Amino acid sequence: MKCAFERDSVVRVAVLQLEYDSSFSNHRIFTDFFISLFSKLSSFSPQVVVFPALTDLFFVGGIWSIPLLGKLMRKDITVSESVSEQCERFMAELSKRMNCTVAFGTRRGLRLYTAGSFIKEKQTLVNGYKLALLSKRWLVNSEALSKMVSNGVRIIATPTCGMNDYSEWDDKYYFWSHAQMIGYYCLKATFVGRILRNQLKDKACVCAPIPITQSQDGYIVRNESIEGSAVLLAELDMEKLEKFLAEQNQIFGAFAR
Protein backbone atom coordinates (compact mmCIF):
# COMPACT_ATOMS: atom_id res chain seq x y z
CA MET A 1 0.00 0.00 0.00
CA LYS A 2 1.30 3.46 -0.93
CA CYS A 3 1.84 6.13 1.68
CA ALA A 4 -0.24 9.29 1.36
CA PHE A 5 2.82 11.30 0.30
CA GLU A 6 4.14 8.80 -2.24
CA ARG A 7 3.85 9.88 -5.87
CA ASP A 8 2.63 7.70 -8.69
CA SER A 9 5.47 7.65 -11.25
CA VAL A 10 3.17 7.59 -14.32
CA VAL A 11 1.02 10.51 -15.53
CA ARG A 12 -1.57 9.73 -18.21
CA VAL A 13 -2.09 12.56 -20.70
CA ALA A 14 -4.32 13.22 -23.71
CA VAL A 15 -3.23 15.86 -26.23
CA LEU A 16 -5.66 16.92 -28.94
CA GLN A 17 -5.32 18.04 -32.51
CA LEU A 18 -8.73 19.38 -33.49
CA GLU A 19 -9.81 20.21 -37.02
CA TYR A 20 -12.51 22.81 -37.58
CA ASP A 21 -14.77 23.08 -40.59
CA SER A 22 -17.94 25.01 -41.35
CA SER A 23 -20.20 21.98 -40.73
CA PHE A 24 -19.79 22.50 -36.96
CA SER A 25 -22.42 25.24 -37.23
CA ASN A 26 -24.80 22.26 -37.41
CA HIS A 27 -25.39 21.41 -33.74
CA ARG A 28 -25.89 17.70 -34.45
CA ILE A 29 -22.51 17.42 -36.19
CA PHE A 30 -20.89 19.45 -33.38
CA THR A 31 -22.41 17.18 -30.70
CA ASP A 32 -21.49 13.95 -32.49
CA PHE A 33 -17.91 15.19 -32.89
CA PHE A 34 -17.47 15.88 -29.19
CA ILE A 35 -19.22 12.67 -28.08
CA SER A 36 -16.78 10.69 -30.22
CA LEU A 37 -13.90 12.67 -28.77
CA PHE A 38 -14.91 12.11 -25.17
CA SER A 39 -15.46 8.38 -25.64
CA LYS A 40 -11.78 8.08 -26.57
CA LEU A 41 -10.79 10.11 -23.52
CA SER A 42 -12.95 8.26 -21.01
CA SER A 43 -11.58 4.85 -22.00
CA PHE A 44 -8.03 6.07 -21.21
CA SER A 45 -8.90 8.01 -18.02
CA PRO A 46 -6.29 10.74 -18.54
CA GLN A 47 -5.11 12.88 -15.65
CA VAL A 48 -4.28 15.74 -18.03
CA VAL A 49 -6.16 16.78 -21.18
CA VAL A 50 -4.79 19.55 -23.39
CA PHE A 51 -7.07 21.24 -25.93
CA PRO A 52 -5.84 23.74 -28.57
CA ALA A 53 -5.76 27.51 -28.41
CA LEU A 54 -8.97 29.21 -29.56
CA THR A 55 -11.07 26.22 -28.52
CA ASP A 56 -14.00 28.63 -28.07
CA LEU A 57 -14.24 28.88 -31.88
CA PHE A 58 -15.80 25.40 -31.77
CA PHE A 59 -18.63 26.88 -29.72
CA VAL A 60 -19.44 29.65 -32.20
CA GLY A 61 -22.71 28.88 -33.97
CA GLY A 62 -21.80 30.74 -37.14
CA ILE A 63 -18.09 30.62 -37.92
CA TRP A 64 -18.70 32.60 -41.10
CA SER A 65 -19.49 35.70 -39.08
CA ILE A 66 -15.84 35.90 -37.97
CA PRO A 67 -14.10 38.62 -40.02
CA LEU A 68 -10.81 37.18 -41.28
CA LEU A 69 -8.79 38.52 -44.17
CA GLY A 70 -5.60 36.93 -45.43
CA LYS A 71 -3.60 35.26 -42.68
CA LEU A 72 -5.22 34.28 -39.40
CA MET A 73 -4.55 37.02 -36.87
CA ARG A 74 -5.81 36.87 -33.31
CA LYS A 75 -6.68 40.56 -33.25
CA ASP A 76 -9.12 40.00 -36.15
CA ILE A 77 -11.02 37.19 -34.47
CA THR A 78 -14.33 38.18 -32.94
CA VAL A 79 -15.74 35.78 -30.38
CA SER A 80 -18.36 37.07 -27.96
CA GLU A 81 -17.71 36.99 -24.22
CA SER A 82 -20.70 34.69 -23.77
CA VAL A 83 -19.25 32.10 -26.18
CA SER A 84 -15.86 32.14 -24.42
CA GLU A 85 -17.63 31.83 -21.05
CA GLN A 86 -19.69 28.90 -22.36
CA CYS A 87 -16.49 27.18 -23.47
CA GLU A 88 -14.90 27.73 -20.04
CA ARG A 89 -17.95 26.37 -18.21
CA PHE A 90 -17.88 23.31 -20.47
CA MET A 91 -14.19 22.67 -19.75
CA ALA A 92 -14.66 23.22 -16.03
CA GLU A 93 -17.43 20.61 -15.99
CA LEU A 94 -15.28 18.23 -18.05
CA SER A 95 -12.39 18.52 -15.59
CA LYS A 96 -14.79 17.95 -12.69
CA ARG A 97 -16.52 14.90 -14.17
CA MET A 98 -13.28 13.28 -15.32
CA ASN A 99 -11.42 14.40 -12.17
CA CYS A 100 -8.51 15.65 -14.24
CA THR A 101 -6.59 18.77 -15.24
CA VAL A 102 -7.78 20.46 -18.45
CA ALA A 103 -5.68 23.05 -20.30
CA PHE A 104 -7.01 25.03 -23.27
CA GLY A 105 -7.07 28.43 -24.91
CA THR A 106 -9.84 30.87 -25.76
CA ARG A 107 -9.91 34.33 -27.34
CA ARG A 108 -9.41 35.60 -23.76
CA GLY A 109 -6.18 33.63 -23.24
CA LEU A 110 -4.99 30.32 -21.81
CA ARG A 111 -7.03 28.59 -19.12
CA LEU A 112 -6.32 25.81 -16.63
CA TYR A 113 -8.88 23.86 -14.59
CA THR A 114 -8.32 21.04 -12.10
CA ALA A 115 -11.28 18.97 -10.89
CA GLY A 116 -13.65 21.82 -11.78
CA SER A 117 -11.60 24.63 -10.19
CA PHE A 118 -10.01 27.48 -12.13
CA ILE A 119 -6.25 27.69 -11.55
CA LYS A 120 -5.31 31.35 -11.89
CA GLU A 121 -1.58 30.74 -11.33
CA LYS A 122 -1.48 28.35 -14.35
CA GLN A 123 0.45 25.76 -12.36
CA THR A 124 -0.93 22.67 -10.63
CA LEU A 125 0.18 19.31 -9.26
CA VAL A 126 -0.59 16.07 -11.08
CA ASN A 127 0.35 12.96 -9.09
CA GLY A 128 2.65 15.18 -7.07
CA TYR A 129 4.46 16.53 -10.15
CA LYS A 130 4.18 20.16 -11.17
CA LEU A 131 2.50 21.07 -14.46
CA ALA A 132 2.72 24.58 -15.94
CA LEU A 133 0.57 26.12 -18.66
CA LEU A 134 2.63 28.29 -21.03
CA SER A 135 2.03 30.06 -24.32
CA LYS A 136 4.17 29.18 -27.34
CA ARG A 137 6.24 32.37 -27.15
CA TRP A 138 7.63 31.35 -23.73
CA LEU A 139 9.07 28.09 -25.05
CA VAL A 140 12.24 29.76 -26.36
CA ASN A 141 13.06 31.56 -23.09
CA SER A 142 15.83 29.28 -21.83
CA GLU A 143 16.40 31.18 -18.60
CA ALA A 144 12.72 31.16 -17.60
CA LEU A 145 12.28 27.49 -18.51
CA SER A 146 15.41 26.47 -16.59
CA LYS A 147 14.18 28.32 -13.53
CA MET A 148 10.79 26.64 -13.75
CA VAL A 149 12.36 23.17 -13.96
CA SER A 150 14.63 24.06 -11.01
CA ASN A 151 11.45 24.98 -9.12
CA GLY A 152 9.91 21.58 -9.79
CA VAL A 153 8.03 21.95 -13.08
CA ARG A 154 8.16 18.66 -14.99
CA ILE A 155 5.30 19.00 -17.50
CA ILE A 156 4.59 22.01 -19.72
CA ALA A 157 1.27 22.20 -21.55
CA THR A 158 0.94 24.51 -24.56
CA PRO A 159 -2.34 25.00 -26.44
CA THR A 160 -1.61 26.52 -29.85
CA CYS A 161 -3.00 26.76 -33.38
CA GLY A 162 -1.60 26.06 -36.83
CA MET A 163 -0.60 28.40 -39.62
CA ASN A 164 -1.25 28.50 -43.35
CA ASP A 165 2.37 27.48 -43.96
CA TYR A 166 3.40 24.66 -41.64
CA SER A 167 7.13 24.62 -40.85
CA GLU A 168 8.92 21.57 -39.46
CA TRP A 169 11.72 23.84 -38.27
CA ASP A 170 9.30 26.09 -36.41
CA ASP A 171 7.86 23.01 -34.70
CA LYS A 172 11.31 21.84 -33.59
CA TYR A 173 12.41 25.32 -32.53
CA TYR A 174 9.49 26.01 -30.20
CA PHE A 175 8.38 22.64 -28.88
CA TRP A 176 11.16 20.09 -29.30
CA SER A 177 14.48 21.81 -28.67
CA HIS A 178 14.09 23.04 -25.08
CA ALA A 179 12.48 19.80 -23.95
CA GLN A 180 15.84 18.26 -24.91
CA MET A 181 18.17 20.91 -23.52
CA ILE A 182 16.43 21.62 -20.23
CA GLY A 183 14.48 18.42 -19.57
CA TYR A 184 10.69 18.32 -19.28
CA TYR A 185 7.65 16.80 -20.96
CA CYS A 186 6.09 19.20 -23.48
CA LEU A 187 2.41 18.70 -24.37
CA LYS A 188 1.45 20.51 -27.57
CA ALA A 189 -2.22 20.62 -28.59
CA THR A 190 -3.16 22.40 -31.80
CA PHE A 191 -6.03 23.80 -33.85
CA VAL A 192 -6.17 23.00 -37.59
CA GLY A 193 -8.73 23.25 -40.39
CA ARG A 194 -10.31 25.74 -42.75
CA ILE A 195 -11.47 29.13 -41.53
CA LEU A 196 -12.53 31.31 -44.46
CA ARG A 197 -9.38 31.75 -46.59
CA ASN A 198 -7.12 30.10 -44.03
CA GLN A 199 -6.15 26.43 -44.09
CA LEU A 200 -4.42 25.97 -40.75
CA LYS A 201 -1.88 23.12 -40.60
CA ASP A 202 0.07 21.71 -37.67
CA LYS A 203 0.98 18.55 -35.71
CA ALA A 204 0.12 17.81 -32.08
CA CYS A 205 2.85 16.07 -30.11
CA VAL A 206 4.34 15.10 -26.77
CA CYS A 207 8.09 15.84 -26.56
CA ALA A 208 10.67 14.66 -24.05
CA PRO A 209 14.48 14.38 -23.75
CA ILE A 210 15.79 11.98 -26.41
CA PRO A 211 17.26 9.38 -24.00
CA ILE A 212 13.88 8.73 -22.36
CA THR A 213 11.90 8.34 -25.60
CA GLN A 214 11.43 4.84 -26.93
CA SER A 215 12.18 5.81 -30.53
CA GLN A 216 15.16 7.97 -29.47
CA ASP A 217 13.86 10.93 -31.47
CA GLY A 218 12.60 13.21 -28.69
CA TYR A 219 8.92 12.35 -29.17
CA ILE A 220 6.76 10.21 -26.91
CA VAL A 221 4.00 10.45 -29.48
CA ARG A 222 3.38 12.69 -32.49
CA ASN A 223 0.61 13.04 -35.01
CA GLU A 224 1.88 12.24 -38.50
CA SER A 225 -0.64 14.41 -40.36
CA ILE A 226 -0.85 18.21 -40.52
CA GLU A 227 -4.60 17.87 -41.16
CA GLY A 228 -7.50 16.17 -39.41
CA SER A 229 -8.38 15.58 -35.78
CA ALA A 230 -6.43 13.25 -33.53
CA VAL A 231 -6.34 12.22 -29.88
CA LEU A 232 -2.78 11.49 -28.74
CA LEU A 233 -2.62 9.33 -25.62
CA ALA A 234 0.60 8.91 -23.65
CA GLU A 235 1.89 7.68 -20.32
CA LEU A 236 4.64 9.91 -18.99
CA ASP A 237 7.26 8.01 -17.02
CA MET A 238 8.22 10.55 -14.38
CA GLU A 239 10.92 8.38 -12.84
CA LYS A 240 12.77 8.29 -16.16
CA LEU A 241 12.62 12.09 -16.36
CA GLU A 242 13.86 12.50 -12.77
CA LYS A 243 16.74 10.14 -13.48
CA PHE A 244 17.63 12.09 -16.65
CA LEU A 245 17.63 15.40 -14.73
CA ALA A 246 19.77 13.94 -11.93
CA GLU A 247 22.32 12.64 -14.48
CA GLN A 248 22.40 16.03 -16.24
CA ASN A 249 22.98 17.83 -12.94
CA GLN A 250 25.80 15.45 -12.13
CA ILE A 251 27.49 15.97 -15.51
CA PHE A 252 27.20 19.75 -15.59
CA GLY A 253 27.95 20.01 -11.88
CA ALA A 254 31.27 18.26 -12.53
CA PHE A 255 32.10 20.77 -15.29
CA ALA A 256 31.24 23.66 -12.97
CA ARG A 257 33.71 22.36 -10.36
Side-chain angles (χ1 to χ4, degrees), residues 90-222:
F90 183 89
M91 295 299 176
E93 185 64 21
L94 175 65
S95 73
K96 182 179 179 180
R97 293 196 178 199
M98 296 186 66
N99 191 29
C100 66
T101 293
V102 176
F104 62 100
T106 72
R107 181 64 182 87
R108 303 196 296 183
L110 301 185
R111 297 289 186 266
L112 189 68
Y113 284 83
T114 294
S117 299
F118 175 60
I119 310 298
K120 185 178 180 181
E121 297 78 12
K122 295 181 181 176
Q123 290 193 11
T124 189
L125 291 177
V126 182
N127 281 1
Y129 296 94
K130 194 177 290 187
L131 176 147
L133 175 64
L134 289 182
S135 62
K136 178 180 175 179
R137 63 188 176 87
W138 280 100
L139 298 185
V140 293
N141 189 327
S142 303
E143 184 178 353
L145 291 170
S146 295
K147 187 177 292 186
M148 292 179 76
V149 170
S150 296
N151 290 333
V153 171
R154 296 293 180 265
I155 304 169
I156 292 178
T158 302
T160 187
C161 59
M163 298 294 289
N164 287 316
D165 299 314
Y166 172 75
S167 167
E168 189 80 25
W169 166 248
D170 181 80
D171 205 28
K172 288 277 206 271
Y173 178 67
Y174 281 96
F175 300 96
W176 183 88
S177 59
H178 281 79
Q180 316 308 316
M181 292 188 292
I182 297 170
Y184 54 83
Y185 285 108
C186 181
L187 316 181
K188 173 197 177 186
T190 191
F191 180 110
V192 300
R194 178 169 293 281
I195 302 179
L196 296 184
R197 301 177 187 178
N198 300 277
Q199 183 64 49
L200 306 182
K201 292 166 267 189
D202 204 0
K203 293 181 180 181
C205 65
V206 177
C207 303
I210 289 173
I212 69 173
T213 59
Q214 186 174 6
S215 55
Q216 298 288 290
D217 62 356
Y219 291 102
I220 301 296
V221 62
R222 188 189 193 200

Side-chain angles (χ1 to χ4, degrees), residues 64-90:
W64 300 108
S65 65
I66 298 175
L68 293 175
L69 296 173
K71 289 190 174 182
L72 176 67
M73 300 294 289
R74 284 173 180 260
K75 65 183 180 181
D76 294 329
I77 297 173
T78 302
V79 179
S80 70
E81 288 289 316
S82 62
V83 169
S84 295
E85 288 171 3
Q86 178 191 4
C87 175
E88 290 184 33
R89 287 195 299 270
F90 183 89

Side-chain angles (χ1 to χ4, degrees), residues 40-55:
K40 295 176 183 177
L41 295 178
S42 61
S43 62
F44 186 65
S45 299
Q47 292 147 303
V48 179
V49 182
V50 188
F51 284 82
L54 303 179
T55 300

